[in-house]
Amino acid sequence: MTILITAASGQLGRLVVDALLARGAAPADVIATARDTSKLEQFAARGIRTAELDYARPETIAAALDGVDTVLLVSGSEPGNRADLHQNVIDAAKAAGVTKLVYTSAPRATTSSLVLAPDHKATEEAIAASGVPAVIVRNNWYTENYAADVARAASTGVIAASTADGRVASATRADLAEGAAVVLLEDGHLGQVYEFGGDVAWNYDELAAAASEIVGRDVTYTPLTTAEHVAALEAVGLDAGTAGFVAAIDAGIASGALSQTDGTLSRLLGRPTTTLVDGLRAVVAVEDDAAA
């Protein structure tokens, strides 16, 4: 079986490659791809095949997928434009006779009010329409997304957001990457839609408590209204569109868009997911070391 990873130079894709090897995949059976192949040198040095694959250039996708059995389509990073780019990969996968396409989607993508959901909903529908055998893994928020909040709280003692009492079933990138590796390697997952998240859904008071433990000082959560949040973001230099987008994500969290957790990820991993405080401590420690 040949497994191709798109966006392998990114933070998630790189970890998926590592997880595949840790779970027994042979380096020669893994193909790491990216738009810029110079970012793949670390993989080539380990005996992993590399190839150019640019979602916006179908010719690169067709060439990379030639002879490939299994593909991980890591969601693109351009909201509003992703569905069309993903379609290029789906079309190439169908033409290449790919027998398993795994896509990293968003929580409850087909029914969610989350501002990021429409691109993922469209992609899931395109995959279904294509007839390519597939597995959808709907990744909850990365725990690492909150590293900056924790680092900032070390000096301010505050985490401010407009999430109300909404909960987030976040998981570390490493846990989510290992979950993807399991699905890529094992039989029996075709046709499944998995909601991947941490074992515990936490709210921002609990995020503040975790931050307190990590930075060694009291940290409190300050709830904001959406209008207050937008104003605060604009005050630190964000343009109105970006500020509105960030606040809209918090509104989605407040509505429960990221609160579901059913143990699917830990069941597939065969172990509990990494806790919020442990996941954050590892990332903040890395950032502290880099700053030093």
Side-chain angles (χ1 to χ4, degrees), residues 143-152 280 283-284 287:
T143 296
E144 290 88 344
N145 288 352
Y146 297 93
D149 294 293
V150 173
R152 191 161 46 246
L280 285 171
V283 180
V284 173
E287 292 187 348

Side-chain angles (χ1 to χ4, degrees), residues 89-95 97-101 126-135 190:
V89 181
I90 296 164
D91 291 343
K94 182 175 182 178
V98 166
T99 56
K100 182 190 289 185
L101 175 64
I127 291 170
S130 75
V132 176
V135 188
L190 290 177

